[in-house]
Amino acid sequence: MNPPLRLVPAEPGLSRYASLAQALRARVVAGEWPPGSALPAESQLASEHSVALGTMRRALELLVEQGFIERIHGKGTFVRQGLAGASMLRFFRFDGGTGEVPLSRILQRSLVSAPAAVSRALGIGTGEPVLRLHRLRLMGGQPCLLEELWLPLDLFEPLADDDLSTWDDLLYPMFARRVQVHVHRALDDIGFAQLSATQARHLGLPAGHPCAQVQRSAFDLTGRCVELRTTRGDAHAFHYTVTIT
Amino acid sequence: MNPPLRLVPAEPGLSRYASLAQALRARVVAGEWPPGSALPAESQLASEHSVALGTMRRALELLVEQGFIERIHGKGTFVRQGLAGASMLRFFRFDGGTGEVPLSRILQRSLVSAPAAVSRALGIGTGEPVLRLHRLRLMGGQPCLLEELWLPLDLFEPLADDDLSTWDDLLYPMFARRVQVHVHRALDDIGFAQLSATQARHLGLPAGHPCAQVQRSAFDLTGRCVELRTTRGDAHAFHYTVTIT
């Protein structure tokens, strides 16, 4: 791969290495280096962008901090594969939870027209087809989380009618492998609500029971929203720690 | 102030500038530069520690990232004053909230012997005296948050029997000014519970109403726990966003 020489645009307000990081980021987003692939050597990148090696190193450090690339000791610098789990267990603690991945049971998979709020969040036209999943997650045989997911069909079509028994318990690594969708960043919005009768039945709790509700928007490297997800679990199992400095 | 020349200890596993940052941090913690005070010029610091100016700059950058010091443009580098607000409003949204600081009403102030759990968390002996505060916070005249605070008396004695009407709505800036306690870091543990009859009455909610409960441990620069606080508010006003990368 021999990209043309790229000068760093002099953006006002951005330091030289921050502009450089932005230029490198654009090359990643454009697909020049796919997720999981290795970047060229620092010296080569520095010469391609006509900057000093030290400037290139600072730009790469910034991209590491931003979670865009990662250094693997003794191997090199790689475009990050995306979030492996982004586990909802960061928000919940269940009895008998021993750190294992919860089992996943797809309760329902359907192809529907995107409601207005969903199409807005996913950035697709109202009424465009989306894949809707209802999924139950279990630990030690006990239902613990109930999830509703919305996935844009243009990206997820191969998962619309395949054999559900081949699905993994963790979706993001499966999305990456099966449809090359890499979740790079997630925004989780936490609130409290009460379970409807149907939701409560799935979780083995009484109707109206208080629940914590996590509404996630997940984004790929280009910043496209590729998944909407609402996760509900017993409010009494909710637990989250924040450090403020 | 003329500190003796300090060589950077060669700690295994720490880069040179990280070791240097640690050495500077030790000088701050030892009280050589109190919160709010200016650090000496970078060149002087570099010569005191016998390092290159570039190395000193990277060490200072690290301390900025860690929230230990801050650069004020055109003025210099200062030891951070500590958290100004660390507002609980990051966790709650109230109708009529317009970004103003909630009013503070101290419902009760008492001198008590520290229960075991409190003394353990504060790192003092069981039964040692602590200042316990019950405080109500109001927005637009409406009660919104109920708080219980535990403060070690050895640090907060001047606040044990002064005129409560002189207290500010924000405690941390008042702690810094009145008793030179600077809250530098806070750990907030979020959970979910139900309001007791008394708690509910203060908040104008029915007994048993669901509440979000934030348990805070606040630390000073030396890492000492200087405050324990439990904040309770209507679960339906709870709202928090987390970005995962």
Side-chain angles (χ1 to χ4, degrees), chain A residues 73-99:
Chain A
H73 190 70
K75 295 200 166 177
T77 306
F78 296 82
V79 178
R80 272 189 59 201
Q81 280 283 5
L83 302 179
S87 171
M88 284 296 158
L89 293 184
R90 75 185 66 220
F91 299 123
F92 293 92
R93 260 191 215 153
F94 295 99
D95 291 342
T98 54

mmCIF file of all heavy atoms in Angstrom, chain A residues 73-99:
data_model
loop_
_atom_site.group_PDB
_atom_site.id
_atom_site.type_symbol
_atom_site.label_atom_id
_atom_site.label_comp_id
_atom_site.label_asym_id
_atom_site.label_seq_id
_atom_site.Cartn_x
_atom_site.Cartn_y
_atom_site.Cartn_z
ATOM 1 N N HIS A 73 2.605 -5.235 22.678
ATOM 2 C CA HIS A 73 4.038 -5.260 22.956
ATOM 3 C C HIS A 73 4.759 -6.306 22.111
ATOM 4 O O HIS A 73 4.369 -7.460 22.059
ATOM 5 C CB HIS A 73 4.266 -5.523 24.445
ATOM 6 C CG HIS A 73 5.695 -5.318 24.841
ATOM 7 N ND1 HIS A 73 6.280 -4.068 24.877
ATOM 8 C CD2 HIS A 73 6.668 -6.194 25.161
ATOM 9 C CE1 HIS A 73 7.542 -4.192 25.230
ATOM 10 N NE2 HIS A 73 7.805 -5.470 25.404
ATOM 11 N N GLY A 74 5.792 -5.843 21.436
ATOM 12 C CA GLY A 74 6.609 -6.752 20.629
ATOM 13 C C GLY A 74 5.988 -7.098 19.288
ATOM 14 O O GLY A 74 6.589 -7.832 18.496
ATOM 15 N N LYS A 75 4.761 -6.595 19.039
ATOM 16 C CA LYS A 75 4.108 -6.953 17.764
ATOM 17 C C LYS A 75 3.849 -5.757 16.864
ATOM 18 O O LYS A 75 3.868 -5.884 15.644
ATOM 19 C CB LYS A 75 2.777 -7.664 18.030
ATOM 20 C CG LYS A 75 2.944 -9.021 18.719
ATOM 21 C CD LYS A 75 1.715 -9.866 18.511
ATOM 22 C CE LYS A 75 1.965 -11.326 18.870
ATOM 23 N NZ LYS A 75 0.754 -12.134 18.743
ATOM 24 N N GLY A 76 3.576 -4.609 17.481
ATOM 25 C CA GLY A 76 3.323 -3.430 16.657
ATOM 26 C C GLY A 76 2.076 -2.685 17.078
ATOM 27 O O GLY A 76 1.555 -2.866 18.180
ATOM 28 N N THR A 77 1.593 -1.838 16.187
ATOM 29 C CA THR A 77 0.436 -0.989 16.453
ATOM 30 C C THR A 77 -0.705 -1.428 15.541
ATOM 31 O O THR A 77 -0.511 -1.584 14.337
ATOM 32 C CB THR A 77 0.797 0.485 16.186
ATOM 33 O OG1 THR A 77 1.957 0.806 16.960
ATOM 34 C CG2 THR A 77 -0.336 1.405 16.599
ATOM 35 N N PHE A 78 -1.890 -1.623 16.115
ATOM 36 C CA PHE A 78 -3.005 -2.179 15.367
ATOM 37 C C PHE A 78 -4.247 -1.303 15.493
ATOM 38 O O PHE A 78 -4.463 -0.670 16.528
ATOM 39 C CB PHE A 78 -3.345 -3.579 15.894
ATOM 40 C CG PHE A 78 -2.235 -4.571 15.689
ATOM 41 C CD1 PHE A 78 -1.163 -4.623 16.578
ATOM 42 C CD2 PHE A 78 -2.242 -5.433 14.605
ATOM 43 C CE1 PHE A 78 -0.116 -5.512 16.384
ATOM 44 C CE2 PHE A 78 -1.205 -6.339 14.402
ATOM 45 C CZ PHE A 78 -0.141 -6.369 15.290
ATOM 46 N N VAL A 79 -5.068 -1.290 14.458
ATOM 47 C CA VAL A 79 -6.378 -0.663 14.541
ATOM 48 C C VAL A 79 -7.229 -1.537 15.459
ATOM 49 O O VAL A 79 -7.268 -2.758 15.293
ATOM 50 C CB VAL A 79 -7.040 -0.568 13.157
ATOM 51 C CG1 VAL A 79 -8.430 0.047 13.266
ATOM 52 C CG2 VAL A 79 -6.173 0.258 12.214
ATOM 53 N N ARG A 80 -7.886 -0.916 16.432
ATOM 54 C CA ARG A 80 -8.624 -1.727 17.413
ATOM 55 C C ARG A 80 -9.773 -2.486 16.763
ATOM 56 O O ARG A 80 -10.457 -1.977 15.879
ATOM 57 C CB ARG A 80 -9.130 -0.869 18.562
ATOM 58 C CG ARG A 80 -8.065 -0.762 19.653
ATOM 59 C CD ARG A 80 -8.626 -0.106 20.878
ATOM 60 N NE ARG A 80 -9.760 -0.862 21.403
ATOM 61 C CZ ARG A 80 -10.681 -0.339 22.198
ATOM 62 N NH1 ARG A 80 -10.613 0.915 22.544
ATOM 63 N NH2 ARG A 80 -11.674 -1.075 22.642
ATOM 64 N N GLN A 81 -9.963 -3.694 17.246
ATOM 65 C CA GLN A 81 -11.004 -4.569 16.724
ATOM 66 C C GLN A 81 -12.390 -4.065 17.085
ATOM 67 O O GLN A 81 -13.374 -4.475 16.507
ATOM 68 C CB GLN A 81 -10.844 -5.976 17.328
ATOM 69 C CG GLN A 81 -9.779 -6.827 16.687
ATOM 70 C CD GLN A 81 -10.220 -7.412 15.353
ATOM 71 O OE1 GLN A 81 -11.290 -7.108 14.847
ATOM 72 N NE2 GLN A 81 -9.383 -8.235 14.775
ATOM 73 N N GLY A 82 -12.478 -3.213 18.069
ATOM 74 C CA GLY A 82 -13.785 -2.796 18.575
ATOM 75 C C GLY A 82 -14.017 -3.415 19.935
ATOM 76 O O GLY A 82 -13.184 -4.160 20.442
ATOM 77 N N LEU A 83 -15.146 -3.094 20.515
ATOM 78 C CA LEU A 83 -15.464 -3.593 21.847
ATOM 79 C C LEU A 83 -15.738 -5.087 21.779
ATOM 80 O O LEU A 83 -16.503 -5.547 20.941
ATOM 81 C CB LEU A 83 -16.700 -2.877 22.388
ATOM 82 C CG LEU A 83 -16.600 -1.354 22.485
ATOM 83 C CD1 LEU A 83 -17.910 -0.792 23.019
ATOM 84 C CD2 LEU A 83 -15.451 -0.954 23.385
ATOM 85 N N ALA A 84 -15.096 -5.834 22.659
ATOM 86 C CA ALA A 84 -15.328 -7.280 22.653
ATOM 87 C C ALA A 84 -16.644 -7.560 23.360
ATOM 88 O O ALA A 84 -17.514 -8.252 22.843
ATOM 89 C CB ALA A 84 -14.185 -7.996 23.348
ATOM 90 N N GLY A 85 -16.786 -6.988 24.529
ATOM 91 C CA GLY A 85 -17.996 -7.309 25.275
ATOM 92 C C GLY A 85 -18.821 -6.074 25.595
ATOM 93 O O GLY A 85 -19.982 -6.006 25.283
ATOM 94 N N ALA A 86 -18.174 -5.046 26.178
ATOM 95 C CA ALA A 86 -18.906 -3.888 26.695
ATOM 96 C C ALA A 86 -20.041 -4.389 27.575
ATOM 97 O O ALA A 86 -21.187 -3.983 27.463
ATOM 98 C CB ALA A 86 -19.455 -3.023 25.561
ATOM 99 N N SER A 87 -19.668 -5.297 28.456
ATOM 100 C CA SER A 87 -20.654 -6.086 29.195
ATOM 101 C C SER A 87 -21.605 -5.246 30.039
ATOM 102 O O SER A 87 -21.209 -4.320 30.734
ATOM 103 C CB SER A 87 -19.924 -7.050 30.116
ATOM 104 O OG SER A 87 -20.835 -7.667 30.984
ATOM 105 N N MET A 88 -22.874 -5.602 29.969
ATOM 106 C CA MET A 88 -23.885 -4.997 30.832
ATOM 107 C C MET A 88 -23.624 -5.351 32.299
ATOM 108 O O MET A 88 -24.201 -4.740 33.191
ATOM 109 C CB MET A 88 -25.273 -5.488 30.437
ATOM 110 C CG MET A 88 -25.790 -4.834 29.175
ATOM 111 S SD MET A 88 -26.014 -3.048 29.393
ATOM 112 C CE MET A 88 -25.966 -2.524 27.676
ATOM 113 N N LEU A 89 -22.766 -6.356 32.517
ATOM 114 C CA LEU A 89 -22.491 -6.730 33.911
ATOM 115 C C LEU A 89 -21.698 -5.646 34.638
ATOM 116 O O LEU A 89 -21.555 -5.704 35.847
ATOM 117 C CB LEU A 89 -21.761 -8.067 33.964
ATOM 118 C CG LEU A 89 -22.627 -9.239 33.486
ATOM 119 C CD1 LEU A 89 -21.883 -10.541 33.662
ATOM 120 C CD2 LEU A 89 -23.954 -9.279 34.226
ATOM 121 N N ARG A 90 -21.207 -4.643 33.901
ATOM 122 C CA ARG A 90 -20.597 -3.518 34.597
ATOM 123 C C ARG A 90 -21.652 -2.760 35.408
ATOM 124 O O ARG A 90 -21.335 -1.998 36.300
ATOM 125 C CB ARG A 90 -19.886 -2.574 33.639
ATOM 126 C CG ARG A 90 -20.818 -1.705 32.821
ATOM 127 C CD ARG A 90 -20.059 -0.868 31.800
ATOM 128 N NE ARG A 90 -19.444 -1.721 30.801
ATOM 129 C CZ ARG A 90 -18.234 -1.522 30.289
ATOM 130 N NH1 ARG A 90 -17.510 -0.500 30.668
ATOM 131 N NH2 ARG A 90 -17.755 -2.344 29.393
ATOM 132 N N PHE A 91 -22.929 -2.962 35.062
ATOM 133 C CA PHE A 91 -23.997 -2.228 35.739
ATOM 134 C C PHE A 91 -24.812 -3.069 36.730
ATOM 135 O O PHE A 91 -25.657 -2.541 37.427
ATOM 136 C CB PHE A 91 -24.981 -1.655 34.709
ATOM 137 C CG PHE A 91 -24.356 -0.684 33.755
ATOM 138 C CD1 PHE A 91 -24.411 -0.894 32.398
ATOM 139 C CD2 PHE A 91 -23.711 0.447 34.233
ATOM 140 C CE1 PHE A 91 -23.829 0.006 31.512
ATOM 141 C CE2 PHE A 91 -23.134 1.353 33.363
ATOM 142 C CZ PHE A 91 -23.189 1.130 31.995
ATOM 143 N N PHE A 92 -24.595 -4.369 36.696
ATOM 144 C CA PHE A 92 -25.426 -5.237 37.531
ATOM 145 C C PHE A 92 -24.555 -6.238 38.281
ATOM 146 O O PHE A 92 -23.485 -6.619 37.808
ATOM 147 C CB PHE A 92 -26.427 -6.014 36.659
ATOM 148 C CG PHE A 92 -27.467 -5.153 36.006
ATOM 149 C CD1 PHE A 92 -27.256 -4.630 34.741
ATOM 150 C CD2 PHE A 92 -28.657 -4.860 36.658
ATOM 151 C CE1 PHE A 92 -28.213 -3.827 34.117
ATOM 152 C CE2 PHE A 92 -29.620 -4.059 36.052
ATOM 153 C CZ PHE A 92 -29.402 -3.543 34.780
ATOM 154 N N ARG A 93 -25.047 -6.645 39.430
ATOM 155 C CA ARG A 93 -24.416 -7.718 40.195
ATOM 156 C C ARG A 93 -25.472 -8.743 40.520
ATOM 157 O O ARG A 93 -26.458 -8.411 41.178
ATOM 158 C CB ARG A 93 -23.913 -7.165 41.523
ATOM 159 C CG ARG A 93 -22.454 -6.864 41.535
ATOM 160 C CD ARG A 93 -22.040 -6.599 42.972
ATOM 161 N NE ARG A 93 -21.011 -5.590 43.017
ATOM 162 C CZ ARG A 93 -20.809 -4.785 44.046
ATOM 163 N NH1 ARG A 93 -21.603 -4.862 45.107
ATOM 164 N NH2 ARG A 93 -19.851 -3.905 44.014
ATOM 165 N N PHE A 94 -25.256 -9.960 40.071
ATOM 166 C CA PHE A 94 -26.242 -10.994 40.343
ATOM 167 C C PHE A 94 -25.678 -12.052 41.279
ATOM 168 O O PHE A 94 -24.495 -12.388 41.201
ATOM 169 C CB PHE A 94 -26.701 -11.642 39.034
ATOM 170 C CG PHE A 94 -27.427 -10.673 38.141
ATOM 171 C CD1 PHE A 94 -26.780 -10.054 37.081
ATOM 172 C CD2 PHE A 94 -28.745 -10.334 38.397
ATOM 173 C CE1 PHE A 94 -27.443 -9.138 36.281
ATOM 174 C CE2 PHE A 94 -29.415 -9.414 37.596
ATOM 175 C CZ PHE A 94 -28.763 -8.816 36.537
ATOM 176 N N ASP A 95 -26.547 -12.569 42.152
ATOM 177 C CA ASP A 95 -26.132 -13.669 43.020
ATOM 178 C C ASP A 95 -25.665 -14.814 42.152
ATOM 179 O O ASP A 95 -26.294 -15.123 41.135
ATOM 180 C CB ASP A 95 -27.314 -14.161 43.869
ATOM 181 C CG ASP A 95 -27.701 -13.111 44.903
ATOM 182 O OD1 ASP A 95 -26.875 -12.216 45.167
ATOM 183 O OD2 ASP A 95 -28.835 -13.174 45.403
ATOM 184 N N GLY A 96 -24.599 -15.417 42.549
ATOM 185 C CA GLY A 96 -24.127 -16.585 41.793
ATOM 186 C C GLY A 96 -23.374 -16.185 40.544
ATOM 187 O O GLY A 96 -22.908 -17.043 39.808
ATOM 188 N N GLY A 97 -23.276 -14.869 40.273
ATOM 189 C CA GLY A 97 -22.461 -14.426 39.148
ATOM 190 C C GLY A 97 -20.997 -14.667 39.481
ATOM 191 O O GLY A 97 -20.513 -14.229 40.510
ATOM 192 N N THR A 98 -20.312 -15.391 38.633
ATOM 193 C CA THR A 98 -18.923 -15.746 38.937
ATOM 194 C C THR A 98 -18.005 -15.230 37.842
ATOM 195 O O THR A 98 -16.966 -15.800 37.583
ATOM 196 C CB THR A 98 -18.777 -17.278 39.041
ATOM 197 O OG1 THR A 98 -19.296 -17.840 37.825
ATOM 198 C CG2 THR A 98 -19.548 -17.833 40.213
ATOM 199 N N GLY A 99 -18.438 -14.129 37.203
ATOM 200 C CA GLY A 99 -17.582 -13.553 36.176
ATOM 201 C C GLY A 99 -17.758 -14.212 34.817
ATOM 202 O O GLY A 99 -17.128 -13.807 33.855
#
